[in-house]
């Protein structure tokens, strides 16, 4: 079955940090480009959208599209500014998924978290339960440098996960982010038929 995926990118000031080469933001951009390529190869009808989480307000840069070029091009237009708004970004992503053209597509959000989360654990669990109720699978890529997020994201993942359709991958500083993700369940997908060799995935839960 084809899938409609929206990648939520953390473009907050924290992503200027160079602890993930070349910066947290550019490491994310490379990973999203690879993910979009993997999804388009896995199924011709898969669609990928991109949403930024920081700035004045979270913004849909690309509505879900099978056009890989649009995803690649939008990376040049992203400004790094402000703080990430996880709650608003997820709500906007849910709306975009709800209005997907092909209602038979499975729904998935992939969230990159590279800055401290302002939401408390209870708020995140509430968001997760709503996503689960609406049959939205959620993969989270956590930059391990933000240790304060660990407990919150673990609780979020536990609440959103349904029959192992969602994943939490924690990436320590050091390895190339996209290399770790290639070997993780986020790229492998459920029965996507898209396989990468190797890769040290640090998949949790």
């Amino acid at each position: 079955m084809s899938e409609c995926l929206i990648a939520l990118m953390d473009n907050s000031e924290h992503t200027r940090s160079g602890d993930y080469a070349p910066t947290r933001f550019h490491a994310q951009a490379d990973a999203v480009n690879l993910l979009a390529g993997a999804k388009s190869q896995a199924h011709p009808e898969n669609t990928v959208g991109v949403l930024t989480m920081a700035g004045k307000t979270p913004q849909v840069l690309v509505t879900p599209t099978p056009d890989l070029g649009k995803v690649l091009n939008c990376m040049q237009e992203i400004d790094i500014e402000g703080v990430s708004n996880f709650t608003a970004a997820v709500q906007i992503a849910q709306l975009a998924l709800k209005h997907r053209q092909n209602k038979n597509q499975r729904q998935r959000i992939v969230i990159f978290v590279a800055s401290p989360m302002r939401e408390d654990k209870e708020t995140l669990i509430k968001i997760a339960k709503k996503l689960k109720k609406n049959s939205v699978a959620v993969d989270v890529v956590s930059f391990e440098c933000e240790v304060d997020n660990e407990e919150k994201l673990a609780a979020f993942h536990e609440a959103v996960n349904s029959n192992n359709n969602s994943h939490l991958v924690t990436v320590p500083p050091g390895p190339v982010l996209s290399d770790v993700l290639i070997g993780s369940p986020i790229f492998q997908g459920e029965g996507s038929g898209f396989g990468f060799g190797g890769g040290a995935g640090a998949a949790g839960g």
Side-chain angles (χ1 to χ4, degrees):
M1 187 187 289
S2 65
E3 185 174 79
C4 181
L5 177 150
I6 298 184
L8 271 55
M9 295 185 66
D10 188 339
N11 60 318
S12 66
E13 290 291 343
H14 282 83
T15 62
R16 295 185 190 276
S17 172
D19 50 357
Y20 293 76
T23 64
R24 292 186 195 183
F25 177 77
H26 286 101
Q28 275 183 90
D30 288 345
V32 171
N33 286 340
L34 274 171
L35 182 63
K39 290 294 177 182
S40 67
Q41 284 192 41
H43 194 292
E45 291 176 19
N46 279 349
T47 55
V48 178
V50 178
L51 187 149
T52 52
M53 299 167 70
K56 290 185 183 70
T57 180
Q59 194 177 356
V60 177
L61 293 185
V62 179
T63 53
T65 174
D67 185 346
L68 197 54
K70 286 184 180 175
V71 176
L72 302 179
N73 290 337
C74 84
M75 297 299 159
Q76 317 303 320
E77 302 164 18
I78 299 174
D79 294 322
I80 296 174
E81 56 181 339
V83 295
S84 180
N85 189 336
F86 185 96
T87 304
V90 170
Q91 286 171 343
I92 293 167
Q94 245 193 301
L95 273 176
L97 287 171
K98 190 177 178 183
H99 293 121
R100 66 196 185 284
Q101 287 181 315
N102 180 356
K103 295 292 191 280
N104 293 323
Q105 286 179 313
R106 288 183 305 192
Q107 306 171 84
R108 181 174 299 276
I109 298 173
V110 178
I111 309 172
F112 289 82
V113 180
S115 56
M117 300 180 73
R118 296 178 296 163
E119 291 81 2
D120 59 33
K121 194 162 73 170
E122 287 67 33
T123 301
L124 291 172
I125 289 171
K126 201 179 290 182
I127 294 167
K129 285 181 176 174
K130 187 178 178 189
L131 288 163
K132 185 176 182 177
K133 186 181 172 189
N134 290 320
S135 303
V136 180
V138 183
D139 293 329
V140 178
V141 179
S142 171
F143 292 65
E144 197 179 44
C145 47
E146 300 297 350
V147 289
D148 294 347
N149 292 341
E150 271 184 45
E151 190 184 338
K152 293 179 180 180
L153 286 175
F156 176 83
H157 171 253
E158 191 177 331
V160 80
N161 196 18
S162 175
N163 298 320
N164 208 27
N165 71 340
S166 301
H167 308 95
L168 170 59
V169 176
T170 301
V171 184
V176 177
L177 179 67
S178 50
D179 285 355
V180 174
L181 292 181
I182 280 171
S184 77
I186 292 178
F187 268 71
Q188 305 295 341
E190 306 134 70
S192 67
F194 191 91
F196 281 97

